[in-house]
Structure formats: C-alpha cells, structure tokens
Amino acid sequence: MSYSELDDEQREIRDLARRFADEEIAPRAAAWDRAHEFPKDVFAALGELGLMGTCVPAEHGGAGADFLSYILVLEELSRADAGVGVTVAVHTSAGTLPILANGTPEQVDRLVPPLAQGHELAAFALTESGSGSDAGAMRTRATDDGAITGTKQWITNGSHAHVFTVFAQDPDAASAFVVRRGADGFRVTREEEKLGLNSSSTADLAFEATPSEPLGPRGAGMRIALSTLDGGRIGIAAQAVGIAQAALDVAAGYAKERHAFGRPIGGFGAIQQKLADMQTEIEAARALVWRAARLKQAGRPHTVEGAQAKLFASRVARHWTGEAIQVLGGYGYTREFPAERYYRDAKVTEIYEGTSEIQRLVIARALLGEAARATD
C-alpha cells in the first residue's frame, strides 16, 4: 500500500505519530525493555496530542479521526516500541471503543472522555487460566446486582488501568461489566514476566464480590467480546507491521554500512534477496491491515479480513525479525542493536487477541461453512 493513498488528515496524523515515536519513544525503548519499565509519562504526552483517542469522536474527547488513522498511529508507535503500541491498542480498541459502542449515554459521557484524553487507562479482562481461546469456559461469576467474583489472567494494562471491561457468567450467559480500579474486592495479584513487550503491563486480577456496572444488555457478553476482538485484531496486526518495519529498517541500514570482502554486504545477492522479500511481505501485510481497517470504518463486515490481517502480519513479523538478526550476524544476537528486541516482541502477535490457530479457524469457517464445523 502506498502512503500516497492517504488523505491529508491521515498523513498529518501519521507524521505526528512518527515524529513522537522517533523523538520520544525510540531513544528510550531499550532502557524500558531492560528495566521492565512502564512509561506512564509517554501515555500522558500521547493523550495531550490526541493519540490516546485517535478514532474517538471529538464530542467524547477524542481526536475524531477515522479508524485507519488510528491504525497508522499504532504502526508508528510499535515501530519505535511494541510495548507502547500494545498499551495504546488495548486501551483504545479493547478498552475505550467497547464502552463507546455499548455504553449508555451516561456511561459514555462519564467514562470515555478521560480515556480518550489519556487521563485514564483502560483494560479488557476476558482471559482466565482455564479459558483463553475457549472464552465460553470462563468461571468468573456475577450476581444479579453485578457483584463479580473470579480471576482474570494476562490482562494488558492490568497493573495501571483505571477502567476495566470485565466479562463474567450471569448466571448462564456471559455479560460485560465495567469495574473501576479501587473498587471493593478488586486486586492486582501478579505482574507477569514476559519474553518481550517489557515496557507494557500484563497482570493477573482477582475480584471478590467486586461491585460493577453492566455494559450493554445482560447476556450480551460474548457478542460484545467477539465484536471487540474483531476490531482489536486489526490493531494487533498493525503492531506486527510496525515491528517488522523496524526490523527491516535496521537490517537495511546495516546492509548499507557493514563491509565484508571489500564492499557493503548489501552488494551480495543473498542479502539483497532477503531484504527484497522482507519488504515485499511487509507491504502485503500492511495492505491487508489497511483493507480491514477501511472495512471497519465503513461499518462493513470485517471479521474474516481482520483475521487474515492478523494471521499474515504476525507471521511476517515473527519470521522477518529473525531474518533481520541473520543479516546483522553476531551483532544481531546482542543488545547493542535492537533486532533481538524486535524478535522477542514479535512472537506474541501470533498469540494474543486470538492465536494464529483461531484466526485460521475463523477464516476456514467463513470459507467452508458447515463443512468446517463437521470436523470439530
């Protein structure tokens, strides 16, 4: 996809995100990774720029841009630091937009502006230790008056979020609820140690008769969760593209500067072919992401297109970050260069917001219909 296809507002937002990423995020990303530091000041600054609510309507405190503009922001942030990218992605796609789509007018007026302006952070609490891809197996329960009891696992932004969209059985069907940090019986029980994304928060949560308020109709939890994931997967695909682009940038730059046998290693056919394939597949992934984003923006079905974008982009990121290390040779395996961080960060894009196996299932069922379900 060519950036010449973007309109003036989209280019302006992308350029704003790129400048901020290059000046404020990239120079500090390695330090955050090593220290496992959550950079709160960055999200406050992004809020001041309108980038914590890029696609939230202006009347609700956001920038009022379209969904593709938001996807462009995620790619640029993730190119600098994937941990920052996923924090903003989950905050927006999985945290803020479900409230905007399913909340009452009073809930939207009260909850969305502080989130869109970056004063508060949002999280999405669906996964449990025994219910990841099988979300219907969740054991967290809610009483008739909305008191939630149970645990959630691997919740992005969990240690820092102010507003949580929590899913619980109610009693026989899942419902969505809003819980605020500080509510009685709510605890963050553990901060996860991860392979990558070390500047992001991934936490386990516990609820002990925690008061909440319903989000959307009771019993509509799975519909809300699945529609949220449909859009969220596009954001994670954009994150994967950003990581892969960062890897290409460092590999191509190194190939121009590193000399062997009297010339730059970019002069060798094997390196040229590797980088050409890398760039081509990244562009293909970006095209799938933009297509899915435009369908969502238009209000058209995008479940399959989002799954295709995430499936392909995450595979591209995981594969080509490894090949970027190969181009850098021994330097790629050290922390002197960021290629090894990109490699560690890329893997999870094949796992969260639906594993690659789940994306293939979504695509196959749409393609084959009942024939695919007959094999279950």
Side-chain angles (χ1 to χ4, degrees):
M1 302 294 286
S2 170
Y3 288 109
S4 63
E5 298 178 36
L6 302 176
D7 63 31
D8 289 343
E9 182 180 30
Q10 290 165 342
R11 280 196 293 270
E12 182 178 348
I13 291 172
R14 172 184 172 267
D15 291 346
L16 174 64
R18 169 164 282 206
R19 285 195 303 273
F20 185 88
D22 287 344
E23 295 171 6
E24 303 296 333
I25 299 177
R28 302 162 66 192
W32 295 335
D33 176 61
R34 290 174 184 147
H36 292 222
E37 178 182 350
F38 185 82
K40 292 182 181 180
D41 62 307
V42 165
F43 305 112
L46 287 170
E48 292 177 1
L49 294 174
L51 300 182
M52 293 298 280
T54 303
C55 58
V56 174
E59 59 266 30
H60 299 305
D66 62 12
F67 193 79
L68 179 56
S69 296
Y70 160 62
I71 290 301
L72 296 170
V73 169
L74 290 186
E75 180 183 334
E76 293 301 331
L77 297 180
S78 300
R79 183 179 57 82
D81 180 45
V84 171
V86 74
T87 299
V88 176
V90 170
H91 164 79
T92 305
S93 294
T96 306
L97 295 186
I99 297 173
L100 188 63
N102 300 283
T104 65
E106 186 278 331
Q107 285 176 316
V108 171
D109 289 344
R110 171 167 48 90
L111 298 172
V112 171
L115 297 172
Q117 294 164 7
H119 302 314
E120 295 186 345
L121 197 63
F124 178 84
L126 175 64
T127 299
E128 301 178 8
S129 61
S131 65
S133 297
D134 182 12
M138 77 175 75
R139 300 181 66 181
T140 298
R141 294 290 185 267
T143 61
D144 289 342
D145 62 357
I148 297 175
T149 298
T151 60
K152 297 293 181 179
Q153 186 177 41
W154 300 330
I155 306 307
T156 301
N157 301 344
S159 289
H160 301 275
H162 303 80
V163 177
F164 297 80
T165 299
V166 182
F167 296 85
Q169 296 291 353
D170 176 37
D172 299 320
S175 293
F177 302 88
V178 174
V179 173
R180 287 200 64 89
R181 173 174 296 280
D184 291 344
F186 169 82
R187 291 181 299 122
V188 176
T189 58
R190 179 173 179 254
E191 178 69 27
E192 189 68 60
E193 291 283 340
K194 307 187 294 289
L195 174 69
L197 300 184
N198 289 327
S199 62
S200 70
S201 168
T202 307
D204 292 357
L205 313 176
F207 305 88
E208 298 172 2
T210 301
S212 70
E213 54 184 295
L215 180 65
R218 300 293 280 259
M222 290 308 297
R223 174 185 61 78
I224 293 171
L226 293 175
S227 64
T228 299
L229 291 171
D230 280 350
R233 286 166 180 166
I234 305 172
I236 299 305
Q239 179 197 21
V241 171
I243 298 169
Q245 183 65 53
L248 173 61
D249 292 345
V250 74
Y254 186 81
K256 294 175 184 177
E257 300 297 328
R258 176 73 162 95
H259 281 65
F261 304 103
R263 56 174 170 163
I265 64 170
F268 294 101
I271 298 296
Q272 293 175 4
Q273 291 175 23
K274 192 184 296 290
L275 294 176
D277 286 346
M278 188 175 182
Q279 184 183 52
T280 299
E281 291 196 19
I282 292 170
E283 289 295 335
R286 184 176 286 120
L288 287 172
V289 174
W290 287 19
R291 179 185 68 162
R294 284 171 166 150
L295 288 172
K296 178 173 170 56
Q297 179 64 37
R300 296 170 59 188
H302 55 275
T303 299
V304 171
E305 290 80 6
Q308 290 170 335
K310 184 179 182 299
L311 174 65
F312 187 74
S314 62
R315 184 172 61 193
V316 165
R318 190 257 305 153
H319 174 72
W320 287 113
T321 52
E323 291 301 296
I325 292 175
Q326 197 72 18
V327 172
L328 271 65
Y331 284 114
Y333 200 67
T334 71
R335 291 195 172 185
E336 182 176 347
F337 284 81
E340 60 84 29
R341 171 164 57 87
Y342 303 150
Y343 184 65
R344 289 185 286 110
D345 288 346
K347 177 55 191 175
V348 76
T349 64
E350 295 184 306
I351 298 172
Y352 58 16
E353 298 240 13
T355 63
S356 292
E357 289 75 14
I358 290 295
Q359 306 315 309
R360 292 185 178 97
L361 183 63
V362 169
I363 297 164
R365 284 182 170 177
L367 178 66
L368 300 173
E370 291 302 319
R373 290 175 174 82
T375 64
D376 293 348

